[in-house]
Amino acid sequence: MSENDPKPIIRINGLSKHFGAVAAVDDVSLDIMAGEFFALLGPSGCGKSTLLRMLAGLESPSAGAILIDGEDMSRVPANRRPVNMVFQSYAVFPHMSVLDNVGYGLKVTGVPAAEVRARATEALELVKLDDLGARMPDQLSGGQRQRVALARALVKRPKVLLLDEPLSALDAKLREAMRLELVNLQETVGITFIIVTHDQEEALAMADRIAVMDQGVVRQVAPPAELYEFPASRFVADFIGSVNIFEGRVSEARDGVITIDAPALPRPLVVEQDKQVATGAKAWVAVRPEKIDIVKAGAGPLTETQEEAVNTVPGVVEEITYLGDLSIYHVRIAEGAEGLVKIAEPNFDRATNRPFTWEDAVMLSWTADAGVVLDS
Amino acid sequence: MSIFRPRRPPPGPLDYTRQTWMRLVLLGTFVFLYAPIATLVAFSFNDSKRNIVWRGFTTKYYEKALANEGLIEAFMNSMTIAVLSTVISTILGALTAYLLWRFKFPLKPVYEGAITLPIVIPEICLGVAMLVFFSRIGWPTGLPWPFNLGQITIAHVSFSFAFVAVVVRARMANFNPELEAAARDLGAGEWAVVRDIIIPHMRPGLVAGALLAFTLSLDDFVITFFTSGPDTVTFPVKVYSMVRFSVTPEVNAASTVLIVITVAVTVLALWIQNRQGADKSG
């Protein structure tokens, strides 16, 4: 893990890539540690794939430098870089057997045939395909083809393995299984993995650290939990998971407690957070749907969380989305208010016994440490 | 186990091949396409000087054709030219297709259009142009065989490489560029990428293009007629000159041999391709 070995294997310094007038990657600086599982996360067109291709040497930077293990790679062509890539389409060579595919990277660089065979077989064992070496790619399933692509990249023993949307072509069940397997594989081989994905769940599940990218710029770099709980901006909060954002102005900031006047809400919001904010400045409060408690208005005694909750808002249930394990309630908090507040509640009871239904008056509440104050 | 044989279900709305009217249309098409060829082959065995009435089976016209030195020489010329021009135009066509697929350069659409010109220009114009061109630059005549076939070979290459280029270019259109990137990423240099990834992908296009070039060259008459001299008669030109006197079964016999060769080459090429396909899945 990165804590034990904080040596950066990749240093990216002021890296930019322009396509005509468009900056696909705009002045990005990043350090990626040896042995880390690093994710580049962002919506499509945010420049994450371009960044990855520049690391691989398949795209040349317009400005900036890439250092891999201390060596400047800016002028080194793709075929001489100590990194290998798993492509989105897997790019398994259709006219070669599985074993030939895996051995190709060794054979083409002049490794003796016997060693190519031994190492390719070993790599196939690593991805549990050792009995399919003689098969042709068109006889493999999508998942198997991906394993071939993985083995083919790992057989070269790269310093860094790059994965471009490796799971996007698999179906949901397989995708979930492959996530775990990729993490285990990375722990086994100990190689730094850099994965590009647009799926925040994937990034949260697998990565040690995540860089969120948007319009060619890195918005935030943090471990998954920190990214989810303490997003640095509205973009990150909104992109990672689901979130309710209330706009307002800081009315008081003292002793780690920030009070914000939100015009859409009847009472000011209270957030416990150590953050430098100027009184009177524009600010946003982000609250995750699962951190909001929902009860029928005026019904029964308050629950424990509600007693602690300093933020309470009345509202009316407008929509209910049933997801099996969860239900998402969309609540209108004021007459004519813009947007609905989302609340995620686990379905402990069967959905037929839903505690409230459409048009019910409800009370929403959350504690002071549930929200995050954002200034951008 | 049932003692009843399962009944075949009635044809579905999209089972065109099982509908009677479709089968009749198909049959009609085959008759229209192949009846003349079948007649030609049949009458090559006709024991009659005139090709009108059936008078009994014979193979003597095959013997006669084989003994006709002029015909054999024309045939050898044709085969030599076809092989040479196929090899050259396949290489040139593949290079052209690679260029068009791989690179962006100014006036590329113009270049792409110019490549296909030999396909659309009337053959007669191309023939005349070749004749004028070769006499203008003073191409040497009377060279020993096979150098005397140079003019015809060049003329054939000039139009058949365009066909190869078009076929191979179409094949490259569905090439996944990530395959090339993957090979490069795994350590392959420029040449290794072409040898290991691009040429194997091109192969079906190369085979199809080469077949096309071979048949185009073998049966070309118009352009050849303008570029051939008295010593360099090709098979179609020779047949034409024979037919000018009378359509004897000898011509039929020679044509049948040519058809057999063409079919054999095509079957061979298909077999090679299928064998590669079988290797893939075997």
Side-chain angles (χ1 to χ4, degrees):
Chain A
M1 294 288 284
S2 49
E3 285 86 354
N4 308 335
D5 193 358
K7 185 171 69 98
I9 186 92
I10 290 191
R11 306 202 74 150
I12 299 168
N13 251 330
L15 197 67
S16 295
K17 175 71 187 179
H18 300 274
F19 293 110
V22 185
V25 173
D26 194 4
D27 195 19
V28 166
S29 296
L30 267 179
D31 277 0
I32 295 165
M33 305 300 160
E36 204 172 18
F37 200 132
F38 194 88
L40 290 168
L41 175 66
S44 58
C46 72
K48 57 192 190 302
S49 283
T50 310
L51 181 57
L52 197 75
R53 288 174 69 84
M54 282 196 280
L55 292 180
L58 298 168
E59 212 69 78
S60 50
S62 311
I66 298 167
L67 277 80
I68 299 177
D69 210 8
E71 275 179 69
D72 185 8
M73 286 287 147
S74 309
R75 304 244 172 277
V76 179
N79 52 347
R80 302 221 189 86
R81 290 197 188 192
V83 298
N84 285 106
M85 187 150 161
V86 174
F87 289 83
Q88 190 170 7
S89 68
Y90 310 145
V92 175
F93 304 133
H95 56 281
M96 293 183 197
S97 72
V98 167
L99 196 67
D100 288 346
N101 256 289
V102 175
Y104 181 76
L106 300 174
K107 192 182 135 207
V108 80
T109 44
V111 175
E115 195 191 331
V116 171
R117 215 183 152 72
R119 277 172 69 180
T121 312
E122 193 186 318
L124 280 175
E125 272 165 32
L126 193 66
V127 297
K128 298 170 198 142
L129 278 186
D130 32 329
D131 47 344
L132 298 183
R135 290 257 185 110
M136 294 305 287
D138 55 3
Q139 298 168 285
L140 300 180
S141 69
Q144 289 170 330
R145 243 173 290 187
Q146 182 187 41
R147 285 160 193 268
V148 174
L150 266 171
R152 187 176 67 178
L154 286 172
V155 79
K156 299 267 293 177
R157 296 175 189 154
K159 287 179 179 162
V160 179
L161 184 74
L162 311 172
L163 301 109
D164 189 4
E165 302 265 5
L167 306 181
S168 61
L170 304 177
D171 59 66
K173 279 268 181 211
L174 192 55
R175 194 153 55 212
E176 218 161 299
M178 269 319 276
R179 270 186 211 157
L180 272 178
E181 210 168 310
L182 275 179
V183 172
N184 290 336
L185 186 66
Q186 197 254 348
E187 275 168 15
T188 312
V189 296
I191 293 172
T192 310
F193 277 30
I194 302 179
I195 185 172
V196 153
T197 177
H198 65 271
D199 183 344
Q200 37 104 5
E201 215 178 283
E202 211 168 282
L204 292 176
M206 293 195 290
D208 297 328
R209 274 198 312 153
I210 301 170
V212 179
M213 285 187 75
D214 176 40
Q215 295 176 358
V217 179
V218 172
R219 297 284 179 203
Q220 190 175 3
V221 186
E226 191 184 322
L227 204 63
Y228 187 79
E229 300 293 349
F230 298 100
S233 64
R234 279 181 296 156
F235 173 81
V236 176
D238 195 37
F239 189 74
I240 311 280
S242 180
V243 74
N244 297 296
I245 292 179
F246 304 102
E247 192 180 323
R249 281 187 189 282
V250 179
S251 62
E252 199 185 357
R254 204 173 46 186
D255 305 330
V257 176
I258 304 168
T259 311
I260 288 174
D261 277 328
L265 303 177
R267 288 168 44 185
L269 291 169
V270 179
V271 180
E272 244 173 61
Q273 193 183 359
D274 275 321
K275 189 183 177 84
Q276 290 301 313
V277 281
T279 311
K282 199 168 188 183
W284 293 267
V285 177
V287 189
R288 298 288 181 193
E290 72 278 8
K291 294 203 163 60
I292 302 181
D293 204 48
I294 179 170
V295 288
K296 219 165 189 163
L302 294 178
T303 63
E304 212 174 305
T305 34
Q306 280 176 302
E307 274 171 12
E308 282 174 37
V310 286
N311 300 296
T312 52
V313 186
V316 175
V317 176
E318 285 240 330
E319 311 266 6
I320 302 173
T321 312
Y322 177 66
L323 296 175
D325 52 347
L326 294 176
S327 285
I328 312 285
Y329 299 94
H330 298 254
V331 174
R332 185 169 296 286
I333 49 173
E335 206 55 51
E338 223 182 286
L340 302 168
V341 175
K342 284 173 285 202
I343 299 103
E345 282 275 302
N347 292 326
F348 290 124
D349 295 326
R350 289 188 188 278
T352 43
N353 307 329
R354 194 180 276 130
F356 16 76
T357 179
W358 289 270
E359 301 299 331
D360 272 359
V362 290
M363 185 60 81
L364 310 179
S365 57
W366 63 92
T367 56
D369 59 357
V372 187
V373 177
L374 308 171
D375 46 20
S376 65
Chain B
M1 231 175 77
S2 166
I3 52 164
F4 299 107
R5 282 170 63 196
R7 252 186 46 201
R8 252 184 117 192
L14 294 176
D15 274 347
Y16 289 117
T17 51
R18 288 180 55 200
Q19 282 168 0
T20 319
W21 62 270
M22 194 62 177
R23 288 178 169 181
L24 285 175
V25 169
L26 206 62
L27 186 72
T29 313
F30 275 111
V31 168
F32 180 75
L33 283 176
Y34 292 111
I37 295 174
T39 317
L40 174 113
V41 174
F43 275 84
S44 70
F45 297 106
N46 188 10
D47 193 3
S48 156
K49 263 206 158 47
R50 300 219 179 111
N51 247 339
I52 304 161
V53 199
W54 182 260
R55 291 205 188 278
F57 182 85
T58 179
T59 54
K60 74 175 176 200
Y61 288 105
Y62 282 87
E63 287 158 30
K64 215 172 158 190
L66 285 175
N68 184 335
E69 269 178 39
L71 197 62
I72 294 298
E73 190 198 320
F75 186 77
M76 287 317 291
N77 281 346
S78 267
M79 290 306 276
T80 311
I81 293 165
V83 169
L84 280 176
S85 81
T86 300
V87 170
I88 298 170
S89 54
T90 303
I91 293 170
L92 283 182
L95 289 175
T96 310
Y98 182 73
L99 174 92
L100 290 174
W101 169 75
R102 188 82 175 76
F103 301 105
K104 283 197 179 98
F105 47 88
L107 295 179
K108 186 175 166 183
V110 178
Y111 182 73
E112 219 163 347
I115 294 287
T116 54
L117 264 188
I119 299 177
V120 292
I121 284 183
E123 273 192 83
I124 185 78
C125 303
L126 216 55
V128 174
M130 286 290 169
L131 176 68
V132 172
F133 172 74
F134 282 120
S135 65
R136 187 87 189 90
I137 64 164
W139 187 269
T141 50
L143 294 170
W145 195 90
F147 300 102
N148 55 356
L149 304 174
Q151 288 182 51
I152 304 177
T153 308
I154 289 169
H156 283 191
V157 168
S158 76
F159 69 86
S160 52
F161 98 97
F163 285 89
V164 179
V166 168
V167 172
V168 176
R169 176 77 185 83
R171 171 74 191 161
M172 287 315 287
N174 62 19
F175 180 78
N176 173 7
E178 284 200 340
L179 289 177
E180 190 194 340
R184 220 171 272 279
D185 181 65
L186 290 167
E190 200 80 40
W191 165 239
V193 169
V194 172
R195 183 193 58 203
D196 299 335
I197 310 300
I198 293 180
I199 290 181
H201 180 83
M202 269 186 184
R203 193 172 287 134
L206 289 176
V207 172
L211 268 180
L212 207 58
F214 186 80
T215 37
L216 281 171
S217 165
L218 203 59
D219 73 9
D220 180 74
F221 175 77
V222 179
I223 294 171
T224 314
F225 189 72
F226 282 94
T227 43
S228 63
D231 312 331
T232 57
V233 172
T234 68
F235 188 79
V237 175
K238 179 73 184 170
V239 168
Y240 174 71
S241 68
M242 285 165 77
V243 167
R244 285 216 313 229
F245 302 108
S246 70
V247 185
T248 60
E250 197 182 341
V251 175
N252 285 22
S255 306
T256 305
V257 171
L258 192 64
I259 290 171
V260 169
I261 288 172
T262 323
V263 170
V265 170
T266 313
V267 169
L268 185 75
L270 288 176
W271 182 71
I272 289 172
Q273 262 195 300
N274 278 342
R275 206 186 49 169
Q276 280 165 352
D279 278 353
K280 258 172 73 175
S281 52

